[in-house]
Amino acid sequence: MVHIFWWVIFPYITLTIMILGLLYRYAFRQLSWAAPSTEIFEKKWLKIGSPLFHWGIIIAFIGHVMGMVIPHDFYLSIGVSDHLYHIGAIAGGGLAGLMVVAGLIILLIRKATIDPVRVHATFADFFTVLMLIFVAGTGTYMTLIYNTTVVAYEYRETIGPWFRSLFTLTPAYGLMTGVPLIFKIHVASAFALFASIPFTKLVHIFSFPVRYPARAPQQYRHRSNYRRQGL
Amino acid sequence: MRIKAQVAMVMHLDKCIGCHTCSVTCKNTWTNRSGTEYMWFNNVETRPGPGYPRRWEDTDRYKGGWKLHNGELKLRAGGPITKLANIFYNPNMAKLDEFYEPWTYDYDNLIHSPKSENLPVARPVSQITGEYIDKPEWGSNWDDDLAGGSEIVPLDPNVEKLQEHIQMEYEKTFMMYLPRICEHCLNPSCVASCPAGALYKRDEDGIVLVDHDACRGWRFCQNGCPYHKVYYNWKTHKAEKCNFCYPRTEAGLPTICSETCVGRIRYIGVVLYDADKVKAAASVEDPQDLYEAQLGCFLDPFDPEIQEKAREHGINDAWLEAAKESPVYKMAMKWKIALPLHPEYRTLPMVWYVPPLSPIMNHITNEDELNTDGYIPAVDQMRIPVEYLASILSAGDTNVIRKVLLKLTAMRVYMRGKTVGGIDEFRQSELVTQAATSPEEIEDMARLLGIAKYNERFVIPTGRREMDDDLYEQQGTCSLEELAPREGVNPAYGYMKVRENL
Ligand code: SF4
Ligand code: SF4
């Protein structure tokens, strides 16, 4: 029962909150949808913290796609041995994790100590940073310390297939029962973080302006017809 | 040819008295909310001086506007890829301190302070943090009327460029006012800098606006605008900028800054331009050619062919008539006495400035004996160095400034002769030839510049609302219109169909 809750019910509830929340906010709260930069108040710490964190998390995201989405067999079929994979994962993941955690800590200190930034930081802002530190911290610990001192855990046989099974609506929660506790905590806290996204500034993840390089530099818009014309 | 109409402004600097009424009425209209305290969509700078934000003209630092790179027009701060790489930290963006930390005063203390030996004071309180500020040290007009003296003036990037040393002694120094709003450029770099595509130029009147629904707070527009006229709202995390008071101009009224301008220095009118020529005009090699290239984008509203084409592009007769009467067309394109601010930024700005005349340095000793041509050398000896004006208004080309000043001087001389007398042979004089003008033109100019009647200063057609919405369908619709398509659910009877059947 406990397993069903944590590895079936909980992920689905959190993902549902995330998706519905995002849709609601996108449809009705566009005005609040922004990357809430405080660069105008403080630049020195931001210059170090923000790129560290953001680039780190982009690398970490790619790493998670490689570990969770791409099946183990695929690696074997293209000739990437488990040993090779783990070396790569520990080096790349460890570096990304350290970047994320270091960046977050800098940003947290900045948020707590620089007056104008602190005054305008909301509960949601602190929650997000602390939650991210927790998730990224456990992740980095797993990658750098657990993997090297206890066992190089083969999550591609358990967490990966379980994660994919969520999206085919056939949750294989049984795969999660034997997973080491620290991994379980990392996964569950990540899902909790997902649920909070629509209520925090994290919504800006979904606005990364990928279309910018392709669009015309100048934008003309007709006053009232632009939506109809699909511009 | 893609004809578009633009509502543009001319400011006649000779008449600006530096009263800041424009700034105050603008602020009370648009930026008196929290998050916007530091924003001045309209501000009036004393020149020479660093301006607001401090040293906004320092393009090496803020990297605003465009530059030419191997003949190609590029954003100075870098194109989309550079921008995306810098999205987590924008090295070129100004901090609030470059504007100033906005403050109010603790007025409450004046009323509620306990009995004490000394008079209670209202201490300054930061509007950002709510903390007391011991000593405000900078504000948007800290150096008003050269109040910063010889310490602040050299911070002006134009002064740095000047060859000669600027005289700071009281009797020899110079001063002028420079009121600034967003230029509503033909080639706006703010628009091109926006990763989210939230900034846009309106088709029908050229006003550059921010779509707050689409703005994601990436803040590249703030320094992407070389005039530093886009501001980041720290509360909503969205960009805000001068919107040319579009709710007023759509109703045919002048912007609030123009309406309330005490010196009556502001003129608003329509000009027609060819949007297809804009890019080429902004890409000419020599920055000093940009002014002429920009003039080449505008179309003659009296040309019947242009009128025909304009109608095809949806510009209606009211706008075409307004374009003929446009004071902007007259001053900037016909008489060529109004110049664009910093054309070298290559944004093709659309707020034009008539440079100010200033007292002549070596006093003309015997004014009665001075003949018309005696005024020619005077133009080069005015207090405001021609080089300074050129650095602001013509990418350093002093000839352009000289021509305008000659014309304005000719106007003064001629009008003086007309009303006071004592001026010889104006029509044949060298001054008229050099200024390339005629008494007829001068009389027109004097009327528009000097008498400046309200309805000659502001020729603004209304917003063509009747053209672009299905008003028939909309009558009686309610506030749910955002949920249901305005034109009804059946596309066969939708907007386009109704339009076709008209
Ligand atoms: S002056 Fe106005 S239109 Fe031109 S770049 Fe700046 S904000 Fe944009
Ligand atoms: S209101 Fe007019 S005269 Fe006064 S500062 Fe503004 S532009 Fe100059």
Side-chain angles (χ1 to χ4, degrees):
Chain A
M1 195 54 214
V2 177
H3 294 302
I4 292 184
F5 176 77
W6 282 112
W7 313 121
V8 182
I9 300 176
F10 186 67
Y12 280 130
I13 288 181
T14 48
L15 287 180
T16 309
I17 295 176
M18 178 177 100
I19 290 166
L20 291 183
L22 284 173
L23 288 176
Y24 175 82
R25 187 155 167 191
Y26 191 80
F28 299 111
R29 294 286 183 272
Q30 279 279 340
L31 272 181
S32 74
W33 194 299
S37 160
T38 50
E39 184 169 352
I40 193 161
F41 292 142
E42 199 280 340
K43 280 177 83 95
K44 257 201 229 118
W45 289 104
L46 189 82
K47 181 179 182 173
I48 312 168
S50 175
L52 259 186
F53 162 67
H54 282 99
W55 290 118
I57 205 140
I58 287 173
I59 303 173
F61 175 78
I62 296 169
H64 281 74
V65 171
M66 287 167 63
M68 295 292 107
V69 179
I70 301 174
H72 191 179
D73 295 343
F74 177 81
Y75 288 99
L76 296 178
S77 71
I78 59 166
V80 177
S81 73
D82 289 355
H83 184 65
L84 193 66
Y85 174 87
H86 278 287
I87 290 179
I90 290 170
L95 176 74
L98 288 179
M99 282 168 74
V100 171
V101 174
L104 281 169
I105 288 173
I106 293 172
L107 292 177
L108 182 66
I109 294 174
R110 174 178 179 273
K111 209 177 257 322
T113 56
I114 310 283
D115 279 350
V117 184
R118 186 190 62 245
V119 170
H120 297 293
T122 59
F123 170 77
D125 293 345
F126 280 107
F127 174 85
T128 304
V129 178
L130 290 171
M131 198 66 187
L132 276 167
I133 290 184
F134 184 77
V135 176
T138 50
T140 313
Y141 171 80
M142 281 150 41
T143 312
L144 278 183
I145 300 179
Y146 189 91
N147 270 346
T148 49
T149 55
V150 184
V151 59
Y153 183 65
E154 192 47 273
Y155 43 79
R156 286 178 301 167
E157 286 300 341
T158 54
I159 309 180
W162 164 78
F163 181 73
R164 292 193 294 275
S165 73
L166 287 177
F167 295 93
T168 52
L169 301 182
T170 51
Y173 63 91
L175 289 170
M176 290 298 287
T177 47
V179 171
L181 183 65
I182 183 79
F183 284 80
K184 283 181 174 167
I185 293 175
H186 178 72
V187 173
S189 57
F191 275 95
L193 179 68
F194 294 158
S196 76
I197 290 178
F199 312 100
T200 67
K201 58 182 179 183
L202 286 183
V203 286
H204 72 272
I205 306 168
F206 299 98
S207 331
F208 194 80
V210 277
R211 275 173 301 178
Y212 180 37
R215 77 146 218 250
Q218 293 310 357
Q219 308 275 300
Y220 290 100
R221 253 196 218 178
H222 196 273
R223 185 176 53 220
S224 59
N225 275 355
Y226 80 96
R227 285 214 173 89
R228 265 175 232 146
Q229 292 169 348
L231 289 174
Chain B
M1 190 187 283
R2 251 190 319 155
I3 303 190
K4 289 185 195 289
Q6 165 96 31
V7 182
M9 190 184 282
V10 168
M11 301 201 205
H12 182 195
L13 294 182
D14 246 343
K15 296 189 294 191
C16 180
I17 56 173
C19 63
H20 302 279
T21 310
C22 46
S23 309
V24 172
T25 49
C26 172
K27 185 152 226 8
N28 285 333
T29 309
W30 294 113
T31 56
N32 52 0
R33 298 156 281 136
S34 68
T36 65
E37 304 94 336
Y38 80 99
M39 303 177 193
W40 294 87
F41 291 172
N42 182 105
N43 75 296
V44 184
E45 290 164 11
T46 301
R47 289 316 186 90
Y52 157 88
R54 241 174 311 187
R55 294 177 59 79
W56 59 269
E57 286 153 303
D58 189 347
T59 39
D60 288 338
R61 158 131 188 242
Y62 298 119
K63 305 240 176 1
W66 305 86
K67 63 173 184 192
L68 219 52
H69 185 73
N70 299 333
E72 280 247 17
L73 205 55
K74 291 260 156 42
L75 286 171
R76 194 182 294 274
I81 302 296
T82 319
K83 289 231 157 55
L84 293 189
N86 281 336
I87 203 160
F88 306 127
Y89 168 77
N90 174 0
N92 309 316
M93 182 182 157
K95 268 178 64 180
L96 189 66
D97 305 347
E98 308 300 334
F99 299 85
Y100 71 107
E101 182 168 353
W103 71 88
T104 178
Y105 294 93
D106 179 13
Y107 296 110
D108 199 52
N109 188 43
L110 299 180
I111 305 164
H112 291 116
S113 90
K115 214 173 187 181
S116 72
E117 238 172 68
N118 305 314
L119 271 180
V121 290
R123 288 176 64 191
V125 181
S126 162
Q127 286 177 305
I128 302 289
T129 60
E131 306 280 327
Y132 285 116
I133 303 180
D134 285 337
K135 196 171 98 193
E137 278 176 2
W138 192 258
S140 63
N141 267 88
W142 205 252
D143 57 337
D144 211 20
D145 291 345
L146 295 187
S150 49
E151 264 174 48
I152 302 293
V153 165
L155 295 177
D156 180 338
N158 301 292
V159 170
E160 280 169 8
K161 269 189 267 165
L162 279 192
Q163 298 295 329
E164 23 171 343
H165 174 70
I166 286 211
Q167 306 273 8
M168 286 307 298
E169 296 95 59
Y170 178 70
E171 311 79 34
K172 291 193 192 140
T173 192
F174 71 95
M175 188 185 96
M176 60 181 268
Y177 297 112
L178 184 69
R180 302 201 300 122
I181 63 171
C182 159
E183 304 280 338
H184 298 279
C185 308
L186 294 185
N187 184 35
S189 53
C190 58
V191 171
S193 302
C194 175
L199 280 133
Y200 61 97
K201 190 167 178 66
R202 291 215 296 192
D203 258 336
E204 45 275 278
D205 53 16
I207 296 177
V208 177
L209 294 174
V210 187
D211 177 346
H212 278 182
D213 272 347
C215 173
R216 296 286 176 251
W218 300 127
R219 77 216 171 278
F220 287 115
C221 53
Q222 179 169 320
N223 63 292
C225 166
Y227 303 94
H228 240 116
K229 278 292 172 189
V230 193
Y231 306 88
Y232 180 78
N233 180 324
W234 50 262
K235 191 161 184 192
T236 61
H237 307 291
K238 306 250 169 171
E240 296 197 26
K241 64 180 286 301
C242 158
N243 51 35
F244 214 79
C245 288
Y246 71 86
R248 288 177 60 88
T249 51
E250 279 178 12
L253 298 169
T255 64
I256 201 74
C257 54
S258 313
E259 172 81 54
T260 57
C261 175
V262 174
R264 306 206 282 184
I265 80 158
R266 297 181 185 225
Y267 298 77
I268 297 177
V270 173
V271 286
L272 303 177
Y273 71 100
D274 181 357
D276 284 338
K277 284 196 188 152
V278 166
K279 194 169 175 206
S283 317
V284 295
E285 187 69 38
D286 183 352
Q288 299 196 344
D289 293 338
L290 279 160
Y291 167 53
E292 283 296 332
Q294 180 171 5
L295 286 180
C297 295
F298 302 110
L299 303 167
D300 179 1
F302 296 95
D303 181 343
E305 226 172 276
I306 300 286
Q307 291 171 0
E308 202 38 54
K309 278 251 168 61
R311 281 194 202 98
E312 276 168 33
H313 285 80
I315 298 172
N316 68 18
D317 284 351
W319 280 63
L320 289 176
E321 284 312 309
K324 289 187 203 163
E325 293 301 311
S326 164
V328 178
Y329 184 76
K330 286 180 194 157
M331 294 158 113
M333 288 107 216
K334 204 164 129 206
W335 302 332
K336 296 196 171 43
I337 51 172
L339 303 169
L341 181 64
H342 286 299
E344 71 273 21
Y345 298 160
R346 299 180 183 272
T347 61
L348 310 191
M350 286 306 288
V351 173
W352 300 67
Y353 292 88
V354 181
L357 293 173
S358 47
I360 296 156
M361 285 295 256
N362 303 329
H363 291 287
I364 295 175
T365 39
N366 188 354
E367 238 186 296
D368 291 337
E369 277 172 28
L370 192 70
N371 60 15
T372 309
D373 293 342
Y375 283 94
I376 297 176
V379 167
D380 302 308
Q381 291 174 13
M382 291 193 171
R383 254 203 186 187
I384 305 179
V386 176
E387 292 79 17
Y388 187 82
L389 290 173
S391 145
I392 293 181
L393 294 172
S394 62
D397 188 346
T398 45
N399 281 330
V400 175
I401 303 288
R402 199 166 174 276
K403 260 195 215 148
V404 178
L405 294 183
L406 270 172
K407 213 168 194 176
L408 294 174
T409 309
M411 179 178 79
R412 292 223 168 159
V413 173
Y414 174 78
M415 292 310 284
R416 181 190 164 116
K418 214 179 136 185
T419 49
V420 188
I423 290 289
D424 58 307
E425 279 306 307
F426 186 76
R427 207 174 272 273
Q428 277 85 38
S429 71
E430 180 66 18
L431 179 60
V432 180
T433 328
Q434 281 211 14
T437 184
S438 67
E440 293 72 33
E441 183 181 80
I442 282 180
E443 298 219 6
D444 284 349
M445 271 169 38
R447 181 175 169 85
L448 192 60
L449 297 182
I451 301 182
K453 287 279 185 207
Y454 187 90
N455 51 8
E456 287 173 21
R457 265 182 294 141
F458 307 124
V459 184
I460 309 166
T462 51
R464 293 194 277 166
R465 279 284 182 208
E466 70 281 11
M467 300 290 288
D468 49 34
D469 270 320
D470 188 351
L471 298 177
Y472 185 74
E473 173 60 37
Q474 273 185 26
Q475 59 171 340
T477 50
C478 69
S479 52
L480 289 177
E481 66 190 340
E482 286 298 314
L483 294 180
R486 286 183 197 167
E487 55 277 15
V489 271
N490 185 346
Y493 300 103
Y495 168 76
M496 291 320 254
K497 273 284 182 297
V498 175
R499 200 71 194 278
E500 275 165 27
N501 294 341
L502 282 180

